[in-house]
Amino acid sequence: MASTISNISLCSLLKLNQNNQKTPFSPSFSSSSLIKIKNQLCFSSNICSHLGKASIFMVKASETEATQSEKEEDKYEEYEVEIVQPYGLKFTKGRDGGTYIDAIAPGGSADKTGKFTVGDRVIATSAVFGEEIWPAAEYGRTMYTIRQRIGPLLMKMQKRYGKVEEVGELTEKEIIRAERNAGFISDRVREIQVTNARRKKEQKEQRERDLREGLKLSKNGKYEEALEKFESVLGSRPTGDEAAVASYNVACCYSKLNQLQAGLSALEDAMEAGFEDFKRIRADPDLANLRTSEDFETLMKKFDESFINENAINAIKSLFGFNKK
């Protein structure tokens, strides 16, 4: 009889009367068996009585999912900190267009505060001058503001604990490590690798478009708009050559805008990235304003070894009288 009962829906079983009367499909039951069946019926009855509420639960669940993304940002702590130049911060552009900390220079102004961590998101910054606070908009505009800031820079930040814009998702390395430990590589890893390859290709194409547009804008004298394009390139993990060219053009734009400190900073970035056309730097009319700064030659001597060697040779010649006519 147990097999018969197991094949019948619990919700459709006939109720057993309290006098232990036999049902058509249960000719004989012991008292203990009867108690077990009654317990099963009570349990099934509770299940059936709650089926009507399932849609309510589903609605509540969907509502929870809908608000989950809105509450996602709430769990991240926000903080404010004021720093001075040199800031000692390197930024990167997230896929959401936001500005994130990519690296912190040891011993720099930012590092000394002990508050910044890689991955933190910029929410707002001081305006170019004065005490006004500007919300961090698109990456290029934010970097334009930070570079040109006159005086201490107040930054409103969101602590992201190393996570940029991929909150809650495992990185490719984390997934590969977990699956390698489990002894297999799933299609999920291959899917991530294909996605990353496609994303890198798209980012490279976007950087190339931004460079072309930036050069066109700069040529037309729209230096502020050009800066946003060049800064966008720099925030998208460019290659060494791309970083050198973009930084050089950033320096040219700031020079044209007579923003000498920002221009020299960008020029230093360009040379650190591998820009070595020092003859061009010393002659390019777009950098004319930068060359009027007393810090220009100091910066050039830091990178132009041929210039240093030439000066050394001339000094030796003078010492031994070779330069005398």
Side-chain angles (χ1 to χ4, degrees):
M1 296 302 297
S3 60
T4 302
I5 293 175
S6 65
N7 291 329
I8 299 174
S9 172
L10 290 176
C11 292
S12 62
L13 284 174
L14 297 175
K15 291 184 178 180
L16 297 175
N17 62 32
Q18 294 180 353
N19 296 325
N20 294 338
Q21 292 180 347
K22 296 179 180 180
T23 66
F25 52 87
S26 56
S28 62
F29 288 96
S30 65
S31 59
S32 61
S33 298
L34 189 59
I35 292 172
K36 290 179 179 179
I37 294 174
K38 290 171 78 175
N39 289 337
Q40 288 179 347
L41 287 171
C42 290
F43 177 73
S44 63
S45 176
N46 288 334
I47 294 175
C48 293
S49 67
H50 284 81
L51 287 177
K53 300 179 181 179
S55 60
I56 298 176
F57 292 140
M58 290 174 66
V59 171
K60 289 183 177 179
S62 63
E63 289 175 354
T64 301
E65 291 174 0
T67 58
Q68 183 176 0
S69 59
E70 298 175 1
K71 295 179 179 179
E72 190 71 31
E73 296 295 318
D74 295 340
K75 68 180 182 180
Y76 293 109
E77 170 192 354
E78 294 182 3
Y79 63 94
E80 294 183 9
V81 60
E82 187 175 81
I83 54 178
V84 295
Q85 292 188 4
Y87 304 132
L89 287 174
K90 182 180 179 183
F91 300 94
T92 186
K93 180 180 178 182
R95 288 208 305 272
D96 58 355
T99 305
Y100 297 82
I101 294 178
D102 192 44
I104 304 171
S109 178
D111 183 43
K112 289 177 180 178
T113 67
K115 293 186 177 181
F116 294 96
T117 54
V118 172
D120 289 358
R121 187 171 187 259
V122 181
I123 300 175
T125 68
S126 301
V128 173
F129 58 87
E131 297 181 358
E132 188 178 353
I133 301 298
W134 287 354
E138 196 272 336
Y139 176 85
R141 174 57 57 177
T142 301
M143 291 305 302
Y144 175 79
T145 303
I146 291 175
R147 279 190 189 267
Q148 293 202 88
R149 170 63 183 172
I150 299 173
L153 174 69
L154 176 67
M155 301 185 73
K156 291 187 177 182
M157 306 292 297
Q158 184 182 69
K159 185 73 71 175
R160 302 287 290 191
Y161 306 102
K163 298 179 181 179
V164 183
E165 73 281 14
E166 301 169 335
V167 180
E169 295 182 6
L170 290 177
T171 64
E172 179 180 350
K173 282 186 178 180
E174 290 171 330
I175 292 176
I176 292 176
R177 187 183 302 114
E179 297 196 348
R180 185 184 293 119
N181 292 338
F184 66 92
I185 300 294
S186 71
D187 290 338
R188 173 60 176 154
V189 174
R190 297 184 182 91
E191 180 183 332
I192 291 175
Q193 291 172 331
V194 171
T195 300
N196 285 348
R198 183 177 67 250
R199 186 178 300 144
K200 287 179 181 179
K201 181 180 178 182
E202 291 172 352
Q203 287 177 336
K204 182 173 178 59
E205 291 172 350
Q206 183 62 53
R207 289 196 299 270
E208 291 173 352
R209 286 194 295 271
D210 286 339
L211 275 173
R212 287 195 298 269
E213 291 177 18
L215 290 170
K216 184 177 179 180
L217 289 166
S218 179
K219 185 177 180 180
N220 293 329
K222 299 179 179 179
Y223 301 115
E224 292 186 0
E225 294 177 41
L227 277 169
E228 293 187 30
K229 296 297 181 180
F230 295 136
E231 292 285 11
S232 183
V233 173
L234 294 172
S236 301
R237 301 188 183 281
T239 63
D241 289 343
E242 290 171 338
V245 171
S247 293
Y248 181 81
N249 282 284
V250 167
C252 290
C253 287
Y254 279 123
S255 178
K256 283 292 190 178
L257 292 169
N258 206 28
Q259 299 289 337
L260 304 188
Q261 191 59 46
L264 290 171
S265 173
L267 184 59
E268 182 174 10
D269 290 343
M271 291 188 285
E272 285 182 347
F275 194 92
E276 296 182 341
D277 192 348
F278 303 114
K279 186 175 181 179
R280 178 175 181 176
I281 295 174
R282 294 179 182 280
D284 193 337
D286 287 342
L287 296 179
N289 286 335
L290 290 191
R291 289 194 293 271
T292 64
S293 170
E294 57 185 21
D295 294 327
F296 177 80
E297 282 302 329
T298 302
L299 176 62
M300 292 302 296
K301 290 176 181 178
K302 179 179 177 182
F303 293 92
D304 190 0
E305 293 181 2
S306 62
F307 180 77
I308 296 173
N309 292 338
E310 183 179 347
N311 284 345
I313 292 172
N314 288 334
I316 292 173
K317 286 182 177 179
S318 297
L319 181 65
F320 290 97
F322 293 122
N323 286 339
K324 293 181 180 180
K325 294 182 180 180

